[in-house]
Each structure stands twice: as structure tokens, then as C-alpha cells.
Amino acid sequence: QGRAQAFLYGPSPQTTAPFSPRVAANMGIDIAHKHKKLHKRTAPESEDPYVRLLVKLYRFLSRRTDSNFNKVVLKRLFMARRHRPPLSIARIARLTKGGEGKIIVVVGTVTDDTRLYNVPKMTLCALRVTESARARIIKAGGQIITFDQLALKAPKGQNTILLQGPRKAREAESHFGKAPGVPGGHAKPYVRSKGRKFERARGRRASRGYKN
């Protein structure tokens, strides 16, 4: 009978606990966590089965070895293509002077450079090598290997040189930073023309605010 009465009329005033402002002050704030996003890839966006297999291989190697090389390779396999800019054989030749006998590793594309006359002999491991670059490397007595062959040759990345292309070379990067005209700003302006009447006033001459 008491249960039925409580169901119909609610709990009696004697059973409810009195409101305490001290308890309310100690209560936490319910924070919405839906905006807390970790902007970090844990898998590649690419559906390429070969890239997926390489990720599987280097995920295993990075977990089971103490090598930082495998962790870096795995992270770069996840990256978008804009963060994996191509690297020319001329730049590789310049950066690896004195590193003869080492395996050059590029998690990206290696391209040809006709300005380089003499291609040095090299052992290269890359995700992709253009046809002309491949022909010139092999003609010079070099060798091109894949990442699964590299995992067998150097499971900890020993005797390797890990390189990457210039990430900041994109045209869009030149527009980033402080606005043009602001003191200390060296960003490239989004301007139609470089004429007399285009972005030549404030910040460009002392008579119009300041001269940068």
C-alpha cells in the first residue's frame, strides 16, 4: 500500500534530502566532449591495398622494435599527399654526399631532374619512382627496392638515410603567416596585380600610417 501511495503521490516530504548549497558548489561541470577531437591519423585514407599492407608491416615493426625509424615511416605512410611532396634525384644526390653505401629511404615519390648530369650510384627505397628517374638510377648502377624488402634488409632502419621532400614549397604556404603590410609580415598577398594602385598604401609608405 505504501508503494502504491508513493507511486501515485510521489515521495513523502520526510524522505527527500534537503538541498545543500555546499553540495551544489562541489558538483562538477558537465563538459561536452564532442568537440575534443584528436586531429591525428591512425590509418591512411588511401584504399590502396599495397599501402595498407605496408601499414600493417610497419605497425608491427614499430610496436615490436625500439626503433624510432619504424615509427616515423609508419607516421609518414598515414600522411596526406600534400605532406609527402616529391623529391628529385638532384636533391637526393645533394643531401646524401658522403653517405655512399647507405640505403636512401623516401616515403613518397622520387622524380627525375634533367639538370643533374651525373646520377650517383645509390640504393633507393621509395613508395614510387618515376619512369625516367628509375631508368637513370639503374643505368648508373643503382638499385631500387620496395619497403617490404627494406624491412628484411634493415628491420630497425640501420644504415639508412631517411629523407622527405620540401613540405613548405607549396604555393599556398607563401600566403600563410602575418598579413602583408603588417609589421613583421612577409606573407605573399592575394592581389590581382603588382601595379601602382594595388596594395601600395597603408604599411607601404610613411605618409599612410607606417612603412613596413
Side-chain angles (χ1 to χ4, degrees), residues 141-203:
Q143 188 187 4
I144 297 166
I145 63 171
T146 56
F147 274 93
D148 51 329
Q149 290 171 324
L150 177 72
L152 292 171
K153 275 192 172 186
K156 288 190 174 183
Q158 60 271 34
N159 200 35
T160 60
I161 302 172
L162 185 59
L163 298 177
Q164 63 177 337
R167 284 198 210 175
K168 299 286 180 182
R170 291 170 61 224
E171 203 278 333
E173 290 280 350
S174 61
H175 297 287
F176 299 160
K178 285 187 176 179
V182 171
H186 301 286
K188 185 179 178 182
Y190 291 105
V191 62
R192 282 186 298 144
S193 190
K194 281 183 70 101
R196 171 189 56 80
K197 56 187 181 178
F198 299 98
E199 296 191 16
R200 286 285 183 274
R202 187 173 179 273

Side-chain angles (χ1 to χ4, degrees), residues 72-205:
V72 173
V73 169
L74 179 66
K75 190 178 80 171
R76 290 185 188 177
L77 284 169
F78 294 162
M79 283 182 181
R81 219 163 42 170
R82 77 188 194 103
H83 291 132
R84 291 187 286 107
L87 193 62
S88 72
I89 52 173
R91 192 179 283 257
I92 289 171
R94 192 171 73 244
L95 293 172
T96 56
K97 271 183 184 173
E100 290 80 12
K102 294 199 170 187
I103 302 169
I104 299 154
V105 182
V106 181
V107 187
T109 304
V110 173
T111 58
D112 189 18
D113 193 340
T114 53
R115 296 168 295 182
L116 181 72
Y117 293 115
N118 300 315
V119 178
K121 185 181 176 182
M122 64 175 85
T123 303
L124 176 69
C125 174
L127 279 182
R128 179 173 167 265
V129 183
T130 61
E131 201 175 329
S132 53
R134 185 184 293 273
R136 291 187 74 189
I137 290 165
I138 291 166
K139 190 180 178 183
Q143 188 187 4
I144 297 166
I145 63 171
T146 56
F147 274 93
D148 51 329
Q149 290 171 324
L150 177 72
L152 292 171
K153 275 192 172 186
K156 288 190 174 183
Q158 60 271 34
N159 200 35
T160 60
I161 302 172
L162 185 59
L163 298 177
Q164 63 177 337
R167 284 198 210 175
K168 299 286 180 182
R170 291 170 61 224
E171 203 278 333
E173 290 280 350
S174 61
H175 297 287
F176 299 160
K178 285 187 176 179
V182 171
H186 301 286
K188 185 179 178 182
Y190 291 105
V191 62
R192 282 186 298 144
S193 190
K194 281 183 70 101
R196 171 189 56 80
K197 56 187 181 178
F198 299 98
E199 296 191 16
R200 286 285 183 274
R202 187 173 179 273
R204 291 296 181 188
R205 52 177 62 87

Side-chain angles (χ1 to χ4, degrees), residues 15-26:
T15 58
T16 55
F19 175 76
S20 171
R22 185 180 292 175
V23 173
N26 292 335

